[in-house]
Amino acid sequence: DVVMTQTPVSLSVAIGQPASISCKSSQSLVGTSGKTYLNWLLQRPGQSPKRLIYLVSKLDSGIPDRFSGSGSETDFTLKISRVEADDLGVYYCLQGTHFPHTFGAGTKLELK
Amino acid sequence: EVKLLESGGGLVQPGGSLRLSCAASGFTFTDFYMSWIRQPPGKAPEWLGVIRNKANGYTTEYNPSVKGRFTISRDNTQNILYLQMNTLRAEDTAIYYCARWVGGPHYWGQGVMVTVSS
């Protein structure tokens, strides 16, 4: 299975400050189609996860452009330009290229 | 509006069976891949499997962790996704989600709790 390693495990950020989360995969996530199926999701307390980003850098509809995704092959990053209170929760990366699809262990974003 | 509503969860004894349902609405069900994902309490989600769309023959893929015990199917006349779970173990205790899959889990249901315990 592809192992998705997220760092840090937790992140304490003040409102208005930037945040960055890393996700590294144990093998390249470039599929046979040439596409890279790397997703970022946010799970707020008591809620279902919600996808923010797909195909490394494409924002889902309704997701503010404070969020951005980047990376390639095995190394990916989620950035929040200015953290807001609504951004708190656990962030997961997920690879949809190889079976079985696998999630990172999560990064908990808390307020400083 | 896309809606996914899971049902069928509850308490089941080890070795027992359970079938979860996911009622879908707000989109053309047959056009989309559908997945089941579970999340044990306090842990990260785990992808269980996917059933492809009509154009891809409704074929399935499973996580080896549940292959042979879990079966994903769909009723395309009623727009319902199913997860049949057999030979349940304590480690199957989790919230189970259905998701519409487009390169990843685009829309999620609210989830249903399954507890395996004697």
Side-chain angles (χ1 to χ4, degrees):
Chain A
D1 298 2
V2 177
V3 177
M4 305 296 287
T5 302
Q6 277 185 245
T7 54
V9 172
S10 64
L11 196 52
S12 184
V13 181
I15 298 295
Q17 294 302 302
S20 180
I21 300 170
S22 170
C23 178
K24 295 184 188 298
S25 58
S26 61
Q27 59 184 272
S28 173
L29 298 186
V30 180
T32 53
S33 64
K35 294 184 179 179
T36 302
Y37 293 99
L38 188 282
N39 300 262
W40 288 99
L41 304 101
L42 166 61
Q43 187 171 29
R44 298 183 178 96
Q47 295 187 17
S48 304
K50 178 180 180 177
R51 193 173 71 175
L52 306 173
I53 286 172
Y54 63 102
L55 292 174
V56 179
S57 60
K58 297 186 181 299
L59 264 61
D60 273 299
S61 58
I63 303 303
D65 60 8
R66 301 181 290 102
F67 291 92
S68 64
S70 63
S72 62
E73 299 283 349
T74 61
D75 202 342
F76 304 93
T77 302
L78 173 71
K79 291 184 179 179
I80 310 172
S81 58
R82 298 173 307 280
V83 168
E84 296 186 2
D86 196 43
D87 301 338
L88 305 183
V90 181
Y91 289 80
Y92 295 101
C93 58
L94 159 69
Q95 67 83 14
T97 299
H98 303 289
F99 291 116
H101 302 324
T102 45
F103 288 80
T107 295
K108 187 174 185 179
L109 180 62
E110 301 171 308
L111 272 183
K112 182 180 289 184
Chain B
E1 181 190 5
V2 173
K3 289 187 178 179
L4 300 170
L5 184 63
E6 301 93 341
S7 61
L11 175 64
V12 61
Q13 292 191 338
S17 297
L18 207 57
R19 188 178 80 161
L20 305 183
S21 301
C22 169
S25 61
F27 62 100
T28 304
F29 188 60
T30 53
D31 283 350
F32 289 90
Y33 290 30
M34 299 294 297
S35 265
W36 286 98
I37 297 163
R38 69 182 177 185
Q39 187 171 29
K43 295 187 177 181
E46 178 187 25
W47 176 84
L48 299 179
V50 65
I51 186 164
R52 296 180 176 89
N53 57 9
K54 181 179 181 180
N56 289 280
Y58 303 125
T59 54
T60 53
E61 303 285 346
Y62 294 95
N63 193 320
S65 66
V66 300
K67 191 173 184 179
R69 293 193 304 127
F70 289 12
T71 301
I72 298 174
S73 61
R74 57 195 297 167
D75 181 335
N76 297 303
T77 61
Q78 297 198 63
N79 293 350
I80 300 176
L81 177 71
Y82 296 106
L83 179 66
Q84 176 67 44
M85 302 185 293
N86 298 330
T87 320
L88 284 161
R89 309 164 180 163
E91 54 265 35
D92 295 318
T93 294
I95 298 174
Y96 284 73
Y97 298 98
C98 64
R100 195 181 86 172
W101 194 273
V102 181
H106 188 191
Y107 287 97
W108 295 63
Q110 87 291 346
V112 64
M113 186 70 202
V114 172
T115 303
V116 184
S117 176
S118 55

